Amino acid sequence: MKKLLLILTLCVTASFIVTRPSYSSIFGEVIQVSDNSYNDYSPIMNNNKWVAWSGYDGTDYEVYLYKGSGTPIPLSNNSYRDYIPQMNNNGWVVWGNENTDGIRLYKGSGTPIVIPNSNNGINPVIGDNGWVAWSGYDGHDYEVYLYKGSGTPIRLTYNSYNDNYCRINSNGWITWEMWDGHDYEVYLYKGNGSPIRLTNNSSNDYGPEIGDNGWVTWNGSLTNGIYLYKASGTPIVIPNSINGTNPTINKNGWVAWYGFYDHDIYLYKASGIPVQISSPDYYNEYPVIGDEVVAWKARYAGIFIYYTYSEETEFIASTSYCYDPTVSDNGWVTWSDYDGSDYEIYYYEPPIRPILPPPFPYPPVFP
């Protein structure tokens, strides 16, 4: 049975925390990362407790990075908007900007570079191997490009329609959606060779996400359900996923989504029947999944986290102003929240997973 664990609050001080107290729960702790008089949005967190986000500096939005301790540092400083950074587990950060003069890449230290031939690129994503994919305008429509950490980017698509919403895993597999002249379909590039088409039907397939095991999930029409491609073979429709939307997947092939009409969160553990992991008392939406947790926003309430190893649910942020929750593989959760003046960045530090002793033999064995 799921247990809802209430948060006990207490004040925590740190050199970069000034205005809003942290919260301490039975399981973990919530800590404020940014503290300024401007809005900070779109955070992303890796397994090393590094957090990157877009923050307003009084003129436009720039990209900032917190390296697990100390004071956040600016990665960009210019006269145009830098937005929606993505980061891998090595601390490499990639982002685009409204000037469309190239995708920026920060390799964990030093000065960010401009990826060659990435002008007019938007919405970049990065894998743990340092590969970066994005949608780039070719003068007619948007195509998919790939930069393998050095050298010249390669072009993966050649067509007369827009290819958007790239996602990449740690092995360099890339998935995206493409308008084919009738509806949206899903494609996959397996790190080499030519991309393959995963869908071919008369209804929209969109919003693909990919796990490190090469499994891909995406939205079909509401009446079709959530689809899952298990790295090979024919995609399946996940059981009982009719009216599901916004699926997300981890490296184990576990898929979480929310119901478009009932606004509950569901979890499919790679096989079997999905389980509901949220309380119907809340307006739950937009889950994100790591290897050990699922986190989501409950509208007008706050953020919940579900521990996959204990099947317990915890309320980690009690506020109606939470936005943009994301989760790292190892269960760190970050989001943007209102502090009474503007939006700041927070993260949740999960507990150390308990190591349970081996079970006693049954029936007991006596000497």
Side-chain angles (χ1 to χ4, degrees), residues 132-210:
V132 180
W134 66 91
S135 295
Y137 191 68
D138 67 356
H140 180 270
D141 61 288
Y142 282 90
E143 304 292 344
V144 176
Y145 295 83
L146 172 63
Y147 174 70
K148 295 187 176 182
S150 62
T152 302
I154 62 174
R155 181 171 172 172
L156 298 183
T157 60
Y158 295 85
N159 54 62
S160 57
Y161 300 106
N162 286 326
D163 298 85
N164 292 311
Y165 200 85
C166 296
R167 293 294 184 265
I168 190 170
N169 71 7
S170 62
N171 301 310
W173 288 31
I174 303 165
T175 186
W176 64 91
E177 63 185 36
M178 188 198 81
W179 176 258
D180 68 357
H182 301 283
D183 64 319
Y184 283 97
E185 304 292 348
V186 174
Y187 291 77
L188 175 66
Y189 171 75
K190 293 187 175 183
N192 55 59
S194 300
I196 63 174
R197 184 170 180 168
L198 296 185
T199 63
N200 188 5
N201 52 51
S202 58
S203 60
N204 284 323
D205 297 275
Y206 59 96
E209 299 286 345
I210 187 167

Side-chain angles (χ1 to χ4, degrees), residues 200-223:
N200 188 5
N201 52 51
S202 58
S203 60
N204 284 323
D205 297 275
Y206 59 96
E209 299 286 345
I210 187 167
D212 283 346
N213 60 356
W215 291 24
V216 183
T217 186
W218 64 89
N219 292 288
S221 67
L222 287 177
T223 55

Side-chain angles (χ1 to χ4, degrees), residues 306-355:
Y306 171 84
Y307 297 88
T308 59
Y309 55 85
S310 64
E311 299 186 344
E312 293 175 308
T313 300
E314 186 181 13
F315 203 12
I316 64 172
S318 179
T319 169
S320 60
Y321 298 102
C322 295
Y323 288 99
D324 306 323
T326 62
V327 63
S328 65
D329 295 335
N330 59 359
W332 302 79
V333 183
T334 184
W335 65 91
S336 178
D337 197 0
Y338 191 67
D339 69 353
S341 175
D342 63 300
Y343 282 87
E344 302 294 347
I345 304 300
Y346 297 81
Y347 76 82
Y348 170 76
E349 181 175 348
I352 298 175
R353 180 173 175 175
I355 300 176

Side-chain angles (χ1 to χ4, degrees), residues 22-36:
S22 298
Y23 297 95
S24 179
S25 74
I26 299 172
F27 277 172
E29 187 174 48
V30 176
I31 297 172
Q32 182 176 343
V33 175
S34 68
D35 179 32
N36 52 61

Side-chain angles (χ1 to χ4, degrees), residues 248-315:
T248 180
I249 189 169
N250 68 11
K251 69 179 183 182
N252 302 313
W254 291 26
V255 181
W257 68 90
Y258 77 92
F260 185 80
Y261 295 111
D262 64 10
H263 282 269
D264 280 314
I265 307 298
Y266 297 89
L267 178 63
Y268 175 71
K269 299 182 178 181
S271 63
I273 303 300
V275 294
Q276 180 179 322
I277 60 173
S278 64
S279 167
D281 296 333
Y282 297 94
Y283 197 93
N284 305 289
E285 55 190 357
Y286 304 114
V288 287
I289 189 170
D291 295 340
E292 296 187 347
V293 303
V294 182
W296 65 89
K297 175 187 174 181
R299 195 183 298 185
Y300 315 120
I303 292 178
F304 283 91
I305 186 170
Y306 171 84
Y307 297 88
T308 59
Y309 55 85
S310 64
E311 299 186 344
E312 293 175 308
T313 300
E314 186 181 13
F315 203 12

